[in-house]
Structure formats: structure tokens, C-alpha cells
């Protein structure tokens, strides 16, 4: 299977096409590169490094990384004797966090950064440039000035559907760090599983983190693997992941789905839904009918308790509440919910969802955080199953961050006009569960394939987006949804190498991208992913999954 993944990756990356010119091979490619003619060579096979005190931690990780990935020894020394010096810049380049400058000449290597993430990214670039030659280490002479186009460059992992575990998450974060991606969106709850310990409500994990079996194949197929699936993260494990992420300048944004995609929570506490019926954690994928009841003060109190524990644990300013694909059937059938809609003059279940979202946004803001949700939270009609409920009399708080995934760019523009910041995660370009090539099964849902090239050419700030609204697009993300990735191997196949294409698409403006150059710079990553496959999860071999 591993071999097959590598061959596929090489084919997808278009091996054998002409190589782009240039001596600087960095991915994502820097904003400005001036190449020199010569090299800087160290006097031995040990790289001598020094950094100002603010950047010592970044240097420590660089040292470890060169040792693990390239078997290069790094030793710390004083500034005067160092091959590589990491110093503080007077100002950030382009006013951006994450910016850095590298100067390599005959005398040595100088990395300048204003703050720690810039130093970290400068060292990541350096790690990609160093070559081993005849007992020495060699760097191409050059000047680089670099900064990210977007401040939010995310990868999302859906563990609600498919629990992967600590080692997989850490490995993904290692690759994100190499690719200068800085937000790990952790989709921790969904209909098919609740994956985060909440002390006040232990049944969320006792009941909600386990299901009897898992649907395989496709949404309409009546096929199940018959293998129980379970898993959740304790608070201690989450702290370990958060430390791991922080060292790599990755912010972990927790996503706790509400009011929909909440069947696992309802299985644990049936009173959370207006129907109040006992259910089991679903084994079937697709949008479920069990949703939280926002008209019940006890349910709102429950959700605030959950968010309190989440905000206590995660340092991220942003808290994601999901908000996508809410089926309104239970709300329409509940006299209590209908009365609530009338009393608050909300007009429709969609209006109730906006009211609920604003209520949670205000709570999250009162705790010094900021709410984010999928673009369903705007109240715009996105799904066939919501057609009859389009009247919305309330509008979304302008403080909320809207993660655009569905509809067309006019919807994204309307959110920007209303003052919301946007993360562009348009499904047609950024969903990692979409196949690389035409797939007749996925085509039944109108899922169009996303080739490596299509992923690379994705422009998160569309050219024809209204000029005055472009600055509202603060970021972009790629999303690994969990329905059809029962094994780590299958997940890897979907993620690699497209994650690298997104990393460059989020870092560089369209005018500076070059697909041939990208394919060439991808080669060392492909080799790395061959040598360091993501470790297998415990039960990865026991599932029967559709083979490529
Ligand atoms: C989504 O894909 N349901 C956000």
C-alpha cells in the first residue's frame, strides 16, 4: 500500500516533465529570491549555529529536525564562530508575522526575523536548502525576503468521524510546520463521535466516543465494516498536543459542532435534542436529524459549560462552533421550539439558527475569544433540505469569522460586506476527501475531482472578488473530512501531496506561483513522505476499506 501511495504521488506530481530552473528549492517558495553564483561551505560536517535569546527554542527544534530528517549534526556556538546566525530584525517584513530574511554569502548564513514564527520559518527554509557534499555542508548564496500572503493557513482533521490518535496528529503537525502552515483546525465532535473529554459531562466520551460499526463505501451503500470504533482525547493528551503545536508555531483551533452534527452528544444525553429520544451513536454517515434544542435554557447552559472547558484548555483566540448542515425537522416538529421562534420573532428555523449562533458568539466574546463557523451560520440557504425555511429576520454578528465552504463567491462577498472576516475553504477546491481524478461514485454527489494542479492553482483571494473586500479574506484552509478514511494509509493518500500544493497557494499570491517549479520543489517532500509514513493507528488493519 505504501509503495502504491508513493508511485501515485510521483505520477500525480508529474515526474519526468521539464524541471524549473533555479538553485533555490524551497516550498512554499519565498516571495522574493535573489540568487548568487557561489556557495557557502562549512568547514566540517557539523553545522555551527547561534541565535539571539528570543529565538533559542526555534533553534532547538531546527537542530532536532536536521538530525532526525537529514542526519546532520548541529552544534550551538557563539555568534562569532557560527555558520548560521539567527538575529532579531528591526521591523517585520511587509508588516507580517512569520516574515524573515536570509542572506547567504561567502562569510556565512544570516537569518533575520522580527518575531519567533519568522525565525522558525526562516530556519525551515534553511533546512530545505542545505546540502551535504564531501564531508561539508553547503548552502547556495542568495538573498531571500519572505512573508506569508495569508495570516491563516489551515489544515483541518475531522476526527469526529474517524479517530486517528496522538501520533498521527503530531506527524501531521510536523508536515504542517515544514510547509509553514499555522492553524490546525481540530474537528473534535460530529454525529459519529465525540472526541474530547469534558469533565462536567462524562457520558459525552463514555457513550459518545464509541460506535458499533462504520459505514464503508458511500452514503447510500448499505455496507458496514462491523468493527467497533472508538477514541477520544483526555485533557492531558490535549495539553501535550497543544505544547507540540505551539513549539511549531501552530495554533490549534477546536471545533465543537452545534447545533447540528450533534448526534453523538444526543446519544449521551437525549434531553439535548427537542425530540428527546434515546439514540445510539450513528454508524452511518450523512447529515443526521438529531440536533441541539436552542429553545431549552438547560441545553444552552450545557453548551456554555462545554465551551468553558474548551476555552480553559485551548489558548486559541478563535473557537469554532461548526454550524453547518443543520436539519430543521426536529425544530419544526417541536411546539416548544416553534413557540420560541414566534416569541423572539425569528421568522424561521434558519432565523433561530442565526439567533443561536449570535447567542453563542456573544458568550464566547464575553470570555475574550472569537467565534468562527461554516458559512451556514450566515442564515443563507445552502442546502436542499432547508428550502422551505428561508425567511431570516436576524443577522449574524459581524465579529464572527465565516469559513466559506459552500455556495458561490457572491455568498462570500455578502459576508465580507457585512463585516465578517473570511477563511476561504471552498469545497470545490480545498476538500481533501475529494478524489484526485474523476470518480463515478463521488460524481453522484457532484463532487468534482481535485487534481494536484487544481489544488495548486486554487487562489484563495479570487481575482474578480471585489477589490475593497479582499482584505476580509484573512485565510484559507484545506479540509480532511473523515467519512471515507478508515485507515491512516487512506488518509495519507488523500492528504499527500495535495497539502503541499495548498501550503504554497496560501503563502504566495497567484502571480508568483509556478507549477513546474512547485513540482520540482516537491520532490524532497515526496522522498520524505516515503521514508516517514504516518504511523499506523491501532485498528487500521482491521477495517475493510475500499481500495484505490
Ligand atoms: C461541511 O463540509 N459540512 C462544512
Amino acid at each position: 500500500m505504501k509503495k502504491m501511495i508513493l508511485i501515485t504521488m510521483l505520477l500525480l506530481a508529474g515526474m519526468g516533465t521539464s524541471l524549473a530552473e533555479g538553485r533555490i528549492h524551497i516550498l512554499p517558495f519565498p516571495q522574493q529570491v535573489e540568487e548568487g553564483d557561489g556557495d557557502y561551505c562549512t568547514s566540517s560536517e557539523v553545522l555551527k549555529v547561534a541565535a539571539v535569546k528570543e529565538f533559542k527554542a526555534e533553534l532547538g527544534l531546527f537542530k532536532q529536525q536536521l538530525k532526525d530528517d537529514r542526519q546532520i549534526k548541529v552544534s550551538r556556538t557563539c555568534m562569532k564562530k557560527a555558520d548560521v546566525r539567527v538575529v532579531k530584525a528591526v521591523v517585520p517584513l511587509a508588516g507580517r508575522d512569520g516574515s524573515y530574511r536570509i542572506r547567504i554569502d561567502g562569510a556565512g548564513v544570516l537569518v533575520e526575523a522580527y518575531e519567533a514564527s519568522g525565525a522558525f520559518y526562516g530556519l525551515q527554509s534553511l533546512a530545505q536548502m542545505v546540502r551535504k557534499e564531501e564531508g561539508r555542508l553547503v548552502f547556495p548564496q542568495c538573498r531571500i525576503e519572505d512573508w506569508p500572503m495569508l495570516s491563516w493557513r489551515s489544515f483541518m482533521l475531522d476526527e469526529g468521524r474517524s479517530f486517528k490518535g496522538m501520533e498521527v496528529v503530531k506527524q501531521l503537525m510536523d508536515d504542517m510546520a515544514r510547509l509553514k502552515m499555522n492553524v490546525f483546525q481540530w474537528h473534535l465532535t460530529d454525529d459519529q463521535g465525540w472526541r474530547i473529554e469534558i469533565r462536567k459531562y462524562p457520558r459525552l466520551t463514555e457513550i459518545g466516543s464509541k460506535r458499533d460499526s462504520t459505514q464503508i463505501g458511500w452514503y447510500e451503500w448499505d455496507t458496514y465494516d462491523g468493527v467497533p470504533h472508538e477514541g477520544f482525547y483526555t485533557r492531558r493528551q490535549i495539553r501535550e498536543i497543544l505544547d507540540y503545536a505551539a513549539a511549531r508555531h501552530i495554533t490549534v483551533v477546536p471545533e465543537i459542532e452545534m447545533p447540528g452534527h450533534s448526534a453523538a452528544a444526543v446519544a449521551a444525553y437525549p434531553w439535548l435534542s427537542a425530540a428527546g429520544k434515546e439514540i445510539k451513536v450513528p454508524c452511518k454517515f450523512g447529515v443526521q436529524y438529531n440536533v441541539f434544542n436552542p429553545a431549552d435554557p438547560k441545553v444552552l447552559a450545557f453548551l456554555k459549560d462545554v465551551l468553558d472547558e474548551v476555552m480553559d484548555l485551548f489558548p486559541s483566540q478563535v473557537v469554532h462552533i461548526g454550524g453547518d448542515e443543520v436539519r430543521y425537522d426536529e425544530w419544526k416538529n417541536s411546539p416548544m421550539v416553534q413557540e420560541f421562534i414566534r416569541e423572539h420573532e425569528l421568522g424561521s428555523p434558519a432565523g433561530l439558527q442565526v439567533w443561536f449562533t449570535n447567542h453563542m458568539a456573544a458568550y464566547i466574546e464575553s470570555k475574550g475569544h472569537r467565534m468562527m463557523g461554516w458559512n451556514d451560520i450566515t442564515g443563507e440557504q445552502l442546502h436542499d433540505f432547508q428550502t422551505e425555511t428561508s425567511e431570516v429576520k436576524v443577522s449574524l454578528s459581524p465579529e464572527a469569522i465565516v469559513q466559506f465552504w459552500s455556495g458561490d463567491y457572491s455568498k462570500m462577498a455578502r459576508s465580507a460586506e457585512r463585516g465578517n472576516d473570511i477563511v476561504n475553504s471552498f469545497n470545490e477546491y480545498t476538500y481533501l476527501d475529494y478524489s484526485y481524478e474523476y470518480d463515478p461514485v463521488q460524481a453522484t454527489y457532484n463532487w468534482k475531482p481535485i487534481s494536484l494542479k487544481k489544488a495548486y492553482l486554487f487562489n484563495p483571494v479570487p481575482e474578480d472578488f471585489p477589490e475593497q473586500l479582499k482584505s476580509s479574506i484573512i485565510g484559507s484552509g484545506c479540509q480532511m473530512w473523515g467519512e471515507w478514511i478508515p485507515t491512516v494509509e487512506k488518509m495519507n493518500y488523500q492528504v499527500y501531496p495535495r497539502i503541499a500544493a495548498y501550503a504554497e497557494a496560501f503563502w504566495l499570491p497567484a502571480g508568483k506561483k509556478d507549477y513546474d517549479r512547485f513540482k520540482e520543489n516537491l520532490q524532497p517532500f515526496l522522498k520524505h513522505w516515503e521514508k516517514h509514513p504516518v504511523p499506523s493507528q491501532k485498528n487500521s488493519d482491521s477495517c475493510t476499506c475500499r481500495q484505490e
Side-chain angles (χ1 to χ4, degrees):
M1 179 76 168
K2 263 179 233 151
K3 201 168 190 174
M4 193 172 71
I5 290 174
L6 178 73
I7 291 167
T8 316
M9 290 204 291
L10 293 173
L11 286 174
L12 289 163
M15 284 278 283
T17 54
S18 71
L19 296 183
E21 285 174 20
R23 305 169 70 221
I24 305 299
H25 302 291
I26 299 173
L27 200 170
F29 199 71
Q31 299 279 353
Q32 289 176 12
V33 175
E34 243 180 78
E35 296 196 8
D37 292 328
D39 288 317
Y40 170 74
C41 301
T42 60
S43 56
S44 77
E45 59 187 16
V46 178
L47 186 66
K48 298 202 271 314
V49 297
V52 292
K53 134 165 137 287
E54 292 98 313
F55 305 148
K56 288 253 187 291
E58 285 65 36
L59 200 62
L61 209 75
F62 174 71
K63 189 173 165 192
Q64 191 62 41
Q65 192 179 344
L66 282 193
K67 180 165 165 262
D68 294 348
D69 292 359
R70 308 279 307 278
Q71 294 74 53
I72 292 175
K73 276 201 205 122
V74 177
S75 78
R76 290 183 197 243
T77 180
C78 62
M79 283 284 177
K80 250 173 138 177
K81 292 189 189 153
D83 299 302
V84 174
R85 292 177 296 133
V86 188
V87 301
K88 177 127 173 93
V90 182
V91 288
L93 283 176
R96 294 293 168 90
D97 274 1
S99 65
Y100 65 92
R101 181 184 280 126
I102 294 178
R103 268 185 276 164
I104 306 177
D105 56 24
V109 178
L110 181 70
V111 179
E112 287 175 85
Y114 183 71
E115 41 69 62
S117 69
F120 183 70
Y121 295 152
L123 289 167
Q124 288 302 318
S125 291
L126 219 52
Q128 293 185 40
M129 280 197 279
V130 61
R131 313 190 300 272
K132 280 201 253 186
E133 273 177 23
E134 295 163 6
R136 289 168 180 221
L137 301 167
V138 179
F139 295 87
Q141 291 191 15
C142 62
R143 277 167 176 262
I144 291 174
E145 300 211 334
D146 199 13
W147 60 89
M149 172 179 69
L150 297 172
S151 61
W152 175 296
R153 305 176 300 281
S154 62
F155 169 85
M156 188 208 82
L157 183 65
D158 166 14
E159 292 204 82
R161 272 62 172 261
S162 180
F163 181 75
K164 291 285 179 274
M166 304 276 283
E167 290 313 306
V168 173
V169 168
K170 286 183 181 176
Q171 189 81 55
L172 286 163
M173 286 181 174
D174 286 344
D175 285 318
M176 288 178 66
R178 285 186 189 97
L179 293 164
K180 306 189 177 91
M181 296 174 82
N182 66 347
V183 179
F184 183 77
Q185 183 179 338
W186 209 359
H187 189 89
L188 283 165
T189 71
D190 213 300
D191 290 315
Q192 292 80 14
W194 184 282
R195 309 286 175 217
I196 170 173
E197 174 190 10
I198 300 294
R199 282 181 302 201
K200 190 158 182 187
Y201 300 102
R203 284 172 65 87
L204 285 172
T205 43
E206 283 166 15
I207 305 288
S209 72
K210 301 173 186 167
R211 62 174 184 259
D212 296 341
S213 179
T214 297
Q215 187 179 25
I216 49 175
W218 194 242
Y219 296 100
E220 279 80 24
W221 298 10
D222 195 22
T223 46
Y224 292 83
D225 66 5
V227 180
H229 184 87
E230 66 175 284
F232 70 93
Y233 295 98
T234 63
R235 290 171 64 85
R236 187 188 55 70
Q237 288 173 320
I238 288 174
R239 279 200 202 94
E240 187 179 321
I241 292 285
L242 291 170
D243 288 346
Y244 197 84
R248 287 154 183 77
H249 294 275
I250 294 170
T251 301
V252 182
V253 171
E255 183 179 348
I256 309 294
E257 279 271 18
M258 60 185 82
H261 286 289
S262 44
V266 171
Y269 298 102
W271 51 266
L272 289 169
S273 82
K277 276 206 310 254
E278 295 215 350
I279 58 164
K280 294 192 84 172
V281 177
C283 304
K284 182 171 168 50
F285 295 122
V287 184
Q288 308 290 312
Y289 288 88
N290 322 90
V291 303
F292 294 134
N293 175 7
D296 183 348
K298 212 165 120 226
V299 175
L300 295 178
F302 163 90
L303 291 170
K304 289 174 190 170
D305 289 341
V306 168
L307 288 174
D308 282 345
E309 291 199 24
V310 169
M311 290 187 283
D312 177 49
L313 199 50
F314 287 82
S316 164
Q317 219 236 331
V318 177
V319 176
H320 202 303
I321 59 121
D324 56 317
E325 299 180 315
V326 184
R327 284 201 188 265
Y328 297 140
D329 305 65
E330 283 190 349
W331 293 358
K332 283 193 266 180
N333 293 331
S334 158
M336 180 190 194
V337 175
Q338 287 304 311
E339 177 54 27
F340 191 89
I341 290 174
R342 262 193 305 279
E343 197 183 307
H344 291 77
E345 298 180 0
L346 301 172
S348 66
L352 173 60
Q353 188 181 345
V354 179
W355 176 90
F356 165 78
T357 306
N358 286 343
H359 186 82
M360 299 321 289
Y363 185 71
I364 289 168
E365 282 161 29
S366 77
K367 301 283 169 173
H369 291 258
R370 194 169 174 201
M371 198 206 72
M372 178 166 180
W374 299 102
N375 66 306
D376 310 51
I377 63 173
T378 60
E380 293 211 42
Q381 198 242 315
L382 296 179
H383 309 295
D384 292 346
F385 54 77
Q386 295 169 339
T387 40
E388 65 284 40
T389 55
S390 55
E391 192 196 7
V392 177
K393 293 186 175 169
V394 273
S395 57
L396 178 66
S397 157
E399 293 305 312
I401 302 174
V402 173
Q403 187 165 23
F404 172 76
W405 72 282
S406 178
D408 55 47
Y409 279 143
S410 65
K411 289 189 167 48
M412 190 162 94
R414 274 198 292 281
S415 292
E417 268 160 16
R418 281 191 295 260
N420 296 109
D421 280 342
I422 311 287
V423 170
N424 183 356
S425 294
F426 195 1
N427 61 343
E428 289 191 14
Y429 294 92
T430 67
Y431 271 23
L432 287 159
D433 47 337
Y434 287 21
S435 56
Y436 286 86
E437 291 172 336
Y438 176 78
D439 176 327
V441 176
Q442 293 202 348
T444 61
Y445 271 42
N446 202 23
W447 288 13
K448 301 193 181 81
I450 302 177
S451 65
L452 182 65
K453 187 168 187 176
K454 182 172 171 182
Y456 181 77
L457 294 179
F458 168 60
N459 184 359
V461 188
E463 203 115 299
D464 54 358
F465 201 66
E467 206 51 47
Q468 73 281 9
L469 300 177
K470 282 185 176 169
S471 62
S472 301
I473 304 172
I474 59 166
S476 189
C478 54
Q479 291 68 226
M480 184 65 265
W481 291 104
E483 284 96 332
W484 313 114
I485 52 162
T487 64
V488 176
E489 284 78 8
K490 175 68 177 158
M491 181 196 80
N492 287 347
Y493 177 78
Q494 298 298 123
V495 170
Y496 303 106
R498 285 186 292 196
I499 188 172
Y502 292 119
E504 190 153 309
F506 302 163
W507 187 272
L508 274 187
K512 291 185 178 176
K513 289 196 290 185
D514 177 329
Y515 188 56
D516 284 339
R517 182 191 63 209
F518 163 73
K519 280 187 298 180
E520 185 181 355
N521 295 341
L522 185 60
Q523 301 310 315
F525 281 88
L526 297 182
K527 288 204 192 93
H528 178 79
W529 291 328
E530 174 199 13
K531 272 194 288 181
H532 297 275
V534 176
S536 285
Q537 78 205 81
K538 204 172 61 226
N539 60 353
S540 65
D541 295 327
S542 55
C543 300
T544 317
C545 70
R546 197 158 57 91
Q547 302 291 312
E548 289 78 40

